[in-house]
Amino acid sequence: MFVMDLPRCLFFEGSTASSKSMMNRALILKSFSPDLNIQGFSRSQDVLNLEKSLQGIAAQNEFFVGDGGTSFRFLLARLSRRPGKYLIQGSLRLLSRPHQELFSILKEFGIHCEKKSNGIEVSGQGWSQPQSPVFLNCQESSQYLSALLLAAVDLDFDLKIAVTGEFVSESYFLMTLQMMKQVGIEAFWDGKNLLVPKGQKIKKNSIDIEPDLSSIFTLAAVAVFQGGACFKKFPQQSLQPDASMVGILQMMSCQVFFHGDDLFVLPPKNFSDAGFKNIEVNLKQAPDLFPVLAALCVFADGVSVLRGAPQLRHKESDRIGKVADLLRKLSVEVTEHEDGISILGKGRNFSAGPITFDVDHDHRLAMMLAVLNSGGCQILANDPAVLEKSLPELQNFLQHKYFLIGHRGVGKTTFAKILSQKKNYAAIDLDKNIEEISGQKIEDIFALQGEESFRQSEGKALQKLLEQDFKKETLIVVGAGAAVQLLKSENSIWISRRSDQQGRVFTDRPRLRHQENPLQEFLGIKTNRDLQYLEFSKRSVELPEGEYWRSKNYLLNIIKQWDRDWAQALGVFTLSRNFLNCLIPFGPELYELRTDLLSENELREFLIRLPEEKILFSVRNATAADDLNALPENFKGWIDYDIQFYKNQRILGQTQNLIFSTHQSDFDLALQELKNFEKKIQLRNANFKLCPIVENFLQLEKGFSWWKEDPEHRSFLPRSGDGRWAWFRLYMKGRQKLNFWREGAGILDQPSLCEWLMSPLAPVEFAAVLGNPIQHSWSPVEHADFFQSLPFWKIQIEASEWPGTIIFLRQLGLKFAAVTSPFKKQAFDLVKNNSAPQDLLSSKGGSCNTLFFGSDILGTNTDLSALKKILQIYFDISTAVWGGGALVSALQSILPKAQFYSSTQACERSSGISAADCASPQILIWSAPRGDSLQMPPAHWQPETVYDLNYAENSAGREYALLCKAKYVSGAEFFREQAKLQQEFWQANEK
């Protein structure tokens, strides 16, 4: 039996929005019958304008339709059925398009249409029966006849219209006829004469809308340059004339085939060597394909001829003239005809630009640019937002600007620099831009003019960048406090790190709230900015902690994350409304749609757009539990039903892919309820998900034991308030049916996409940094290249959990560990009998920061050697150590002349003399953690340098350096040095 080898990694897989043409027709029908349920969705601006107008038809007399010619003509005819006077407003371009034929025929029905300065006024007492035969010329557009047909519902006389002259785009009128028939309205058409019998009402309560084939054609054209696409549930017997796209792509040598109801479009087999096959096509019935098809013909071998559509001269633009103009700018040889164009193709490897092109407010010209750019050209649209008219998801292909937003100190500038090197992008820093414009440093603007003045300058500089055209891909780094609402229609990317949650202290940036301490300042501003970043960003990228650019493995996955190369991401990804404007890439095994996060309309849209078998529909509220009508009949995806809301037995027959879950906060209660439910439901193929709040390792072990009893049908997904179980979810990758990852905002216990990509499936062994706090740790990044395929995770342990947790982690496969506060002494107790005294700081009361788990537990401390190397310049300088903890003995051995102070008692350790009575040191080594008992050094101390042994960005050492205006040196160098020695220890013992 032949089995088709289907491609696995495609540029696009799913469904597009519904047909704009069909949606507009359906909305007119719904205006006559409000109970008519339209099965489809569209966020096309034309559709939204018409929908809004029709919703207000009974309560207002002024309407706005933007550029939409179809919307305007349909609304005009519909309003003319109502007694009264109405004004339809639109763009100047719309009002200048031909409509006179429609005005003239409506006059036959007693309707008066008059062009005003601000729109078209339509007035009358509703339609009256014409006194003579009605003749309509459809040489300019078939929309005139469609508009009259749609408005003929429940008419009190027979509508008879005879069409004269050539009938352009008749196929769109035939679409209208078929849609009328679907809702129970009979109309008779013989090719020249239309008859609609009187008194017909809409008899059906639902109408299905096909996916938009002109959008599919555009996506398919882009996709052939990117690897191909799969369009789910493609209407093989379509009402849309653009269905001819299938045959056209085949004529051009694309690999086009159906697999069930799915349409696959792949590049020609020899696409790397030769271009498309040249074609001759008559577009009389499908003129909307013209601009995108012209773009494909540029990459063909030989002359292609596109003719038969003179009406293209009178669309949103003169599309024939504009297409010819663009291709000439690209040095493509064209011959312009009254009804089309001839194009001498340049072949597959053609490239041109960069140039800027005026799309003349025409969305289909913008689509053409997207195809040309995908093929290798560099063309900037002067108005990329015009795609909102029909295909907003494609806008990203036309924008060459990416705005990086995020909190202070997150690393936006560094990230932009790395991408500019790896991807050959340009990079602009908004702060630097402001300094160039003003001739002042940022800190001087703050100091001399204040924050309000700076924000005004920042807003003006940002506005100029928004208006500016760029010749290549450009990253624009935006300040943390900039007006991100200006970026609503832009490619804005939220750059974040987990340490955003802990806050940062800056020694080199202007203060914003002088009445607060530096850490409170950051955290006080953070919440409001988080909400803005979430609302106005199109996507998120979470960066790892540490110098990831020094790691080949991390850098590779950061680039994959940026490129959305999700082919190996697998797992489950929870969709939010931010993704409505995105072309959702193919990668995760499942996309989760949560009923508590998405509205009914948003759920419906995603259900249409996504491959059904890749959907995890999560019922998380009582309303959704009562009504699952949003799901298609015989749903092929997964349903995750929270047992708290379970009462709908009908779900049991809807799918074989059932998950019953609990998200209770009380762990013991959640576990017991789920166990009881397992016994009660007794479905052989059901799956069960335990997702409670887990407060400690004892509960984690209990949940893990529950999972181990039936790993084929159970998934354990612990949650916390601070993300401490992200490492465990990575451990379970490949071990259980359900595992989630996130891109940016989400449940913190869900690993970030970068963390997910860095971890292998079901690792047998792993390495970790153990401590608390731990989220700021650089260790995973620092050791990534050393361990290669062995994962390195952050594991947060509470002080009371240490002994039992180590046993549990060893059972899971912990092989190597870096140990940080507060467990260095406990780690020493684990290894003091197995390691030579010289490997530790001392044989009595010692400290250990590195563990190796073999037949015995071996350990060492790399702090001493690292400290000797980096602190040697301070051996003979007046030095004080504030705090110290586990490092005191090491520091005393290498800095015998230093004075050591307790950071909680604020006194000299050996004598007990108060620090307030001691002279200020020249150098202060900071080794004190934050905490309620922490005291700052006395006010009269004025050290020249504060050397912080901590590299955390919220370290109190930073705050003290800022307070006493000392030079600040981070502990990054110390960390790197001791990490290198850790690797030497691990390598020696592994042998």
Side-chain angles (χ1 to χ4, degrees):
M1 177 180 175
F2 173 73
V3 179
M4 183 176 294
D5 185 19
L6 298 175
R8 295 189 61 190
C9 184
L10 299 171
F11 166 75
F12 177 82
E13 182 185 34
S15 298
T16 65
S18 301
S19 164
K20 181 163 69 81
S21 299
M22 294 181 70
M23 283 293 293
N24 282 334
R25 287 162 171 80
L27 287 170
I28 296 295
L29 295 174
K30 185 176 177 67
S31 73
F32 287 103
S33 178
D35 292 334
L36 181 65
N37 184 18
I38 300 175
Q39 297 292 326
F41 77 93
S42 175
R43 282 175 294 106
S44 157
Q45 196 59 54
D46 284 356
V47 174
L48 295 177
N49 285 338
L50 180 59
E51 183 176 29
K52 183 178 180 180
S53 296
L54 291 170
Q55 287 172 347
I57 196 170
Q60 63 191 63
N61 56 12
E62 291 189 7
F63 306 89
F64 178 77
V65 292
D67 284 326
T70 307
S71 306
F72 169 75
R73 291 161 181 166
F74 287 3
L75 181 62
L76 177 69
R78 177 66 182 91
L79 288 172
S80 70
R81 285 289 310 275
R82 298 178 59 84
K85 183 182 293 185
Y86 307 97
L87 181 69
I88 305 177
Q89 298 174 309
S91 67
L92 292 176
R93 175 63 55 80
L94 170 70
L95 298 179
S96 67
R97 291 176 64 181
H99 308 295
Q100 190 58 46
E101 186 67 22
L102 183 57
F103 299 165
S104 297
I105 196 170
L106 284 174
K107 190 174 182 179
E108 302 275 350
F109 296 103
I111 304 302
H112 180 68
C113 299
E114 182 179 352
K115 188 172 182 179
K116 301 288 188 178
S117 61
N118 58 342
I120 302 295
E121 185 180 82
V122 53
S123 59
Q125 296 303 310
W127 286 6
S128 58
Q129 188 169 359
Q131 299 300 314
S132 58
V134 176
F135 297 95
L136 177 65
N137 188 323
C138 290
Q139 186 172 350
E140 292 174 340
S141 175
S142 66
Q143 291 173 5
Y144 305 150
L145 191 57
S146 286
L148 295 170
L149 173 57
L150 289 165
V153 177
D154 199 18
L155 195 60
D156 58 6
F157 59 85
D158 291 344
L159 177 66
K160 299 177 182 179
I161 299 177
V163 173
T164 63
E166 185 179 0
F167 193 177
V168 300
S169 303
E170 181 183 5
S171 52
Y172 282 95
F173 171 69
L174 297 178
M175 172 199 291
T176 311
L177 276 173
Q178 288 298 316
M179 292 184 68
M180 299 287 282
K181 185 176 181 180
Q182 286 179 10
V183 297
I185 304 291
E186 287 290 343
F188 301 95
W189 169 251
D190 64 6
K192 284 293 183 179
N193 299 285
L194 173 68
L195 168 63
V196 185
K198 66 180 180 180
Q200 296 190 81
K201 299 180 185 293
I202 292 174
K203 303 179 181 68
K204 302 294 180 66
N205 59 11
S206 180
I207 185 169
D208 291 327
I209 309 299
E210 301 172 0
D212 191 275
L213 297 195
S214 61
S215 296
I216 285 180
F217 182 57
T218 304
L219 289 175
V222 170
V224 292
F225 296 102
Q226 309 288 341
C230 171
F231 300 100
K232 296 289 185 176
K233 296 182 179 179
F234 186 91
Q236 297 188 43
Q237 302 297 323
S238 175
L239 298 180
Q240 300 172 73
D242 289 344
S244 60
M245 57 161 280
V246 174
I248 292 172
L249 289 170
Q250 289 172 330
M251 289 167 55
M252 300 188 79
S253 298
C254 291
Q255 301 177 73
V256 183
F257 57 88
F258 284 94
H259 182 67
D261 293 333
D262 301 338
L263 175 69
F264 284 83
V265 179
L266 306 176
K269 290 184 178 179
N270 61 342
F271 200 41
S272 59
D273 302 318
F276 301 107
K277 189 179 186 308
N278 62 314
I279 56 171
E280 291 189 19
V281 178
N282 187 314
L283 293 173
K284 178 179 180 180
Q285 300 301 335
D288 286 343
L289 300 181
F290 174 75
V292 167
L293 186 54
L296 290 179
C297 291
V298 169
F299 301 96
D301 296 318
V303 177
S304 295
V305 182
L306 311 178
R307 302 197 69 163
Q311 66 268 40
L312 288 168
R313 297 282 184 184
H314 308 291
K315 293 289 187 178
E316 282 86 338
S317 69
D318 172 2
R319 284 184 184 154
I320 296 173
K322 290 293 290 187
V323 166
D325 181 40
L326 171 59
L327 297 186
R328 291 187 186 107
K329 287 179 180 291
L330 299 176
S331 300
V332 176
E333 186 176 330
V334 298
T335 302
E336 193 174 340
H337 312 293
E338 185 57 33
D339 64 343
I341 197 170
S342 297
I343 301 168
L344 177 58
K346 293 282 193 175
R348 169 64 187 96
N349 296 316
F350 172 67
S351 63
I355 65 166
T356 300
F357 184 71
D358 180 5
V359 295
D360 204 13
H361 306 291
D362 191 335
H363 59 126
R364 300 210 181 272
L365 291 178
M367 293 177 182
M368 180 184 182
L369 264 61
V371 177
L372 289 167
N373 287 338
S374 295
C377 297
Q378 296 182 53
I379 312 169
L380 297 173
N382 70 313
D383 181 21
V386 73
L387 279 172
E388 296 288 335
K389 179 179 172 66
S390 57
L391 190 56
E393 298 94 332
L394 200 60
Q395 186 172 334
N396 292 345
F397 288 95
L398 299 182
Q399 290 190 336
H400 289 242
K401 294 178 286 191
Y402 302 92
F403 292 87
L404 306 185
I405 63 177
H407 290 294
R408 286 179 124 192
V410 73
K412 301 184 294 288
T413 301
T414 300
F415 184 62
K417 181 179 179 181
I418 291 167
L419 279 184
S420 65
Q421 294 170 347
K422 295 294 181 181
K423 304 289 293 181
N424 192 29
Y425 290 172
I428 296 174
D429 190 297
L430 183 60
D431 282 354
K432 298 291 185 186
N433 189 264
I434 294 169
E435 290 181 339
E436 291 173 3
I437 294 172
S438 66
Q440 293 179 290
K441 293 288 185 182
I442 296 296
E443 54 266 31
D444 293 336
I445 299 176
F446 267 88
L448 299 175
Q449 302 172 32
E451 182 180 2
E452 184 177 349
S453 176
F454 170 76
R455 295 301 176 201
Q456 292 175 356
S457 299
E458 185 179 49
K460 292 177 182 178
L462 183 57
Q463 190 62 50
K464 285 186 178 180
L465 290 173
L466 286 168
E467 296 168 357
Q468 186 174 340
D469 289 332
F470 293 94
K471 304 303 182 184
K472 64 183 295 187
E473 303 290 307
T474 303
L475 301 165
I476 300 172
V477 178
V478 178
V484 294
Q485 59 268 26
L486 295 174
L487 307 177
K488 184 175 182 179
S489 299
E490 304 295 327
N491 268 331
S492 48
I493 294 93
W494 181 4
I495 307 300
S496 65
R497 284 194 279 133
R498 282 185 182 260
S499 58
D500 289 351
Q501 309 301 318
Q502 300 170 342
R504 299 188 181 96
V505 174
F506 302 101
T507 60
D508 57 352
R509 302 191 183 206
R511 293 292 309 277
L512 303 178
R513 297 181 177 182
H514 292 275
Q515 70 276 17
E516 300 175 346
N517 72 46
L519 187 60
Q520 290 173 336
E521 174 187 302
F522 182 97
L523 295 174
I525 295 171
K526 175 185 175 297
T527 301
N528 185 52
R529 287 182 177 176
D530 275 345
L531 295 174
Q532 290 187 342
Y533 298 154
L534 182 61
E535 180 178 359
F536 296 108
S537 60
K538 289 292 181 65
R539 58 175 294 200
S540 302
V541 173
E542 183 174 298
L543 300 175
E545 303 294 335
E547 299 169 328
Y548 60 88
W549 55 90
R550 297 174 61 237
S551 164
K552 292 180 181 178
N553 286 337
Y554 264 95
L555 198 53
L556 174 66
N557 284 302
I558 290 290
I559 298 300
K560 280 185 178 180
Q561 184 179 191
W562 173 260
D563 289 338
R564 286 194 159 164
D565 181 8
W566 291 359
Q568 298 179 28
L570 303 175
V572 185
F573 178 62
T574 302
L575 285 170
S576 65
R577 56 179 50 93
N578 296 54
F579 279 79
L580 288 170
N581 279 324
C582 298
L583 291 172
I584 302 171
F586 174 57
E589 291 174 304
L590 294 172
Y591 294 96
E592 184 188 35
L593 305 181
R594 278 178 50 175
T595 61
D596 59 333
L597 297 181
L598 299 170
S599 70
E600 184 178 342
N601 287 334
E602 290 162 347
L603 287 169
R604 184 181 295 112
E605 176 170 348
F606 280 130
L607 283 166
I608 292 173
R609 291 176 62 182
L610 289 166
E612 194 172 294
E613 64 275 9
K614 291 175 72 69
I615 292 173
L616 171 63
F617 190 85
S618 291
V619 179
R620 295 290 189 84
N621 50 23
T623 304
D626 286 333
D627 184 7
L628 290 171
N629 289 335
L631 292 179
E633 191 175 351
N634 300 317
F635 180 56
K636 297 176 184 177
W638 287 81
I639 298 176
D640 176 358
Y641 213 124
D642 191 311
I643 62 175
Q644 179 182 354
F645 306 111
Y646 178 70
K647 51 187 173 181
N648 193 332
Q649 296 293 328
R650 186 167 53 83
I651 189 177
L652 302 180
Q654 283 196 265
T655 180
Q656 295 298 311
N657 302 323
L658 282 172
I659 300 164
F660 294 101
S661 59
T662 179
H663 304 84
Q664 294 270 24
S665 296
D666 187 309
F667 173 84
D668 292 320
L669 178 62
L671 180 57
Q672 189 58 51
E673 284 187 350
L674 194 56
K675 284 182 177 180
N676 293 339
F677 193 86
E678 283 183 276
K679 294 176 183 177
K680 173 185 174 182
I681 204 73
Q682 291 186 341
L683 286 177
R684 185 178 61 182
N685 293 323
N687 294 271
F688 301 92
K689 183 181 81 174
L690 178 63
C691 191
I693 296 293
V694 173
E695 296 180 347
N696 52 57
F697 268 88
L698 287 176
Q699 291 181 348
L700 187 74
E701 289 187 60
K702 287 174 68 174
F704 182 67
S705 297
W706 170 82
W707 166 79
K708 282 200 302 182
E709 292 172 2
D710 188 4
E712 287 296 314
H713 299 98
R714 292 176 174 178
S715 297
F716 176 41
L717 297 161
R719 291 182 294 131
S720 69
D722 54 10
R724 72 178 296 202
W725 306 124
W727 71 270
F728 181 80
R729 295 203 183 197
L730 291 170
Y731 174 82
M732 299 298 283
K733 178 181 177 181
R735 286 187 162 91
Q736 62 185 10
K737 190 176 296 291
L738 286 178
N739 242 325
F740 293 75
W741 53 267
R742 62 187 172 82
E743 191 191 41
I747 297 173
L748 289 177
D749 293 287
Q750 293 174 350
S752 69
L753 176 55
C754 184
E755 290 171 330
W756 184 263
L757 291 172
M758 286 294 297
S759 294
L761 291 171
V764 176
E765 296 180 335
F766 60 93
V769 54
L770 313 176
N772 189 13
I774 207 70
Q775 294 301 338
H776 69 283
S777 176
W778 292 9
S779 291
V781 164
E782 191 67 23
H783 297 303
D785 290 353
F786 173 76
F787 283 113
Q788 296 295 322
S789 60
L790 193 75
F792 197 111
W793 298 323
K794 304 174 187 179
I795 300 180
Q796 178 180 319
I797 303 174
E798 300 297 331
S800 61
E801 297 174 333
W802 173 264
T805 295
I806 294 300
I807 296 172
F808 176 58
L809 293 176
R810 289 193 69 185
Q811 292 171 348
L812 295 184
L814 178 62
K815 185 78 172 179
F816 310 90
V819 182
T820 184
S821 300
F823 297 113
K824 292 184 179 182
K825 289 187 176 180
Q826 288 93 323
F828 173 84
D829 292 335
L830 281 178
V831 304
K832 62 184 177 182
N833 296 325
N834 300 325
S835 302
Q838 61 268 24
D839 289 335
L840 304 170
L841 286 184
S842 74
S843 58
K844 184 178 180 180
S847 175
C848 173
N849 75 341
T850 311
L851 297 173
F852 172 81
F853 297 94
S855 55
D856 292 320
I857 306 178
L858 304 178
T860 190
N861 197 313
T862 62
D863 290 336
L864 182 60
S865 297
L867 287 169
K868 283 181 179 178
K869 183 170 183 178
I870 65 167
L871 295 180
Q872 58 183 331
I873 60 172
Y874 305 130
F875 286 175
D876 297 316
I877 302 176
S878 170
T879 303
V881 177
W882 196 258
L887 291 176
V888 168
S889 58
L891 290 167
Q892 286 175 335
S893 67
I894 61 175
L895 295 171
K897 298 181 181 180
Q899 300 296 312
F900 287 79
Y901 294 86
S902 166
S903 60
T904 58
Q905 301 297 319
C907 64
E908 206 271 330
R909 286 183 178 273
S910 60
S911 65
I913 298 174
S914 172
D917 297 328
C918 299
S920 172
Q922 189 175 351
I923 306 295
L924 183 108
I925 296 176
W926 190 274
S927 186
R930 279 194 178 274
D932 294 338
S933 58
L934 172 67
Q935 295 190 48
M936 288 291 184
H940 72 276
W941 281 21
Q942 294 294 314
E944 296 175 5
T945 301
V946 173
Y947 193 106
D948 197 346
L949 296 182
N950 189 347
Y951 56 78
E953 292 164 305
N954 66 347
S955 169
R958 289 174 175 261
E959 189 174 330
Y960 177 66
L962 190 64
L963 184 67
C964 66
K965 300 179 181 179
K967 175 185 175 183
Y968 177 78
V969 180
S970 165
E973 183 185 1
F974 166 52
F975 166 76
R976 285 193 295 268
E977 186 62 30
Q978 62 85 26
K980 183 173 67 174
L981 297 172
Q982 285 180 318
Q983 293 174 11
E984 293 175 2
F985 173 79
W986 287 323
Q987 188 172 35
N989 285 285
E990 177 69 5
K991 293 179 180 179

